[in-house]
C-alpha cells in the first residue's frame, strides 16, 4: 500500500510515525543483509542501514524536544510495502533488492511529504529534505542492482 506517513497534521504524530517507519525499515534492512549473497551488495545495504540509524537518532532528538516518547520499534503492519516477514520468504539477490526498492518508494514518499509538511519546524523540514535525498540514493542503487 502507499504510505500516508509524512502527511500528519501534528509535528508530534509526524515524528512518531516516521520513527515507526524507520524501525520497520531497519528490520527489513537487517533481514536483507542476512539474506544477500553478494558481499558488495551486503556492504552497500549496510552503509544505507547506517543512514537509517542517523535518521532515527535525529528523529529521536526531535521527539525529545517535542516532549514525546520516541517509538523504539516498528509495528510491522502497514508501514512498508515489503516488511521483514515478507522479505524472509524471498530468494535471490535481485528479488530481494527489488522488494527493498518498493520499501524505498515508501520512505521516499514519507520524507518528501514530511519536507513539505507545514506542521513541522523549518529545521526539521531541512532534515527531512536530507533524509529524502538519502532515500532516493538508496532506491536508485536498489533499482540498478535489481536489474543489473
Ligand atoms: Fe533507505
Amino acid at each position: 500500500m502507499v504510505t500516508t506517513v509524512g502527511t500528519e497534521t501534528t509535528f508530534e504524530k509526524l515524528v512518531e510515525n516516521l520513527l515507526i517507519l524507520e524501525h520497520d525499515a531497519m528490520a527489513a534492512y537487517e533481514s536483507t543483509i542476512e539474506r544477500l549473497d553478494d558481499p558488495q551488495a551486503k556492504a552497500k545495504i549496510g552503509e544505507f542501514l547506517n543512514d537509517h540509524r542517523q535518521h532515527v537518532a535525529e528523529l529521536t532528538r526531535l521527539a525529545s524536544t517535542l516532549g514525546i516518547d520516541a517509538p523504539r520499534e516498528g509495528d510491522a503492519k502497514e508501514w512498508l510495502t515489503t516488511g521483514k516477514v515478507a522479505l524472509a520468504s524471498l530468494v535471490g539477490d535481485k528479488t530481494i533488492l527489488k522488494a527493498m526498492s518498493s520499501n524505498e518508494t515508501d520512505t521516499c514518499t514519507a520524507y518528501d511529504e514530511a519536507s513539505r509538511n507545514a506542521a513541522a519546524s523549518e529545521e526539521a523540514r531541512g532534515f527531512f529534505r536530507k533524509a529524502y535525498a538519502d532515500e532516493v540514493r538508496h532506491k536508485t542503487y536498489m533499482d540498478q542492482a535489481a536489474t543489473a
Side-chain angles (χ1 to χ4, degrees):
M1 75 175 265
V2 176
T3 188
T4 56
V5 179
T7 60
E8 290 78 359
T9 52
T10 68
F11 195 6
E12 287 84 355
K13 201 71 196 163
L14 172 65
V15 168
E16 193 182 325
N17 285 349
L18 282 169
L19 272 163
I20 295 171
L21 177 72
E22 282 285 358
H23 283 295
D24 276 335
M26 290 199 304
Y29 269 77
E30 279 158 7
S31 179
T32 295
I33 290 167
E34 275 170 31
R35 300 181 65 79
L36 286 175
D37 289 323
D38 176 22
Q40 277 186 328
K42 247 186 218 288
K44 204 71 191 168
I45 301 304
E47 262 177 49
F48 298 162
L49 176 57
N50 276 332
D51 292 332
H52 283 279
R53 290 198 176 106
Q54 285 174 16
H55 298 169
V56 165
E58 179 58 19
L59 287 165
T60 301
R61 194 190 64 78
L62 283 171
S64 119
T65 63
L66 289 166
I68 58 168
D69 285 335
R72 291 164 194 269
E73 54 188 16
D75 66 2
K77 275 194 294 199
E78 60 187 299
W79 307 92
L80 293 172
T81 303
T82 313
K84 182 178 78 167
V85 176
L87 268 170
S89 67
L90 300 179
V91 177
D93 284 10
K94 287 184 182 179
T95 305
I96 292 167
L97 290 166
K98 188 161 184 276
M100 277 301 279
S101 165
S102 68
N103 290 338
E104 299 303 313
T105 302
D106 292 338
T107 49
C108 283
T109 302
Y111 280 115
D112 184 33
E113 291 285 353
S115 70
R116 289 181 280 113
N117 191 321
S121 68
E122 183 50 49
E123 183 210 6
R125 287 203 299 269
F127 159 66
F128 297 149
R129 279 193 292 277
K130 186 216 162 274
Y132 171 70
D134 288 340
E135 296 314 306
V136 169
R137 185 162 44 80
H138 298 175
K139 181 169 167 53
T140 301
Y141 170 83
M142 287 171 197
D143 286 340
Q144 281 169 357
T147 55

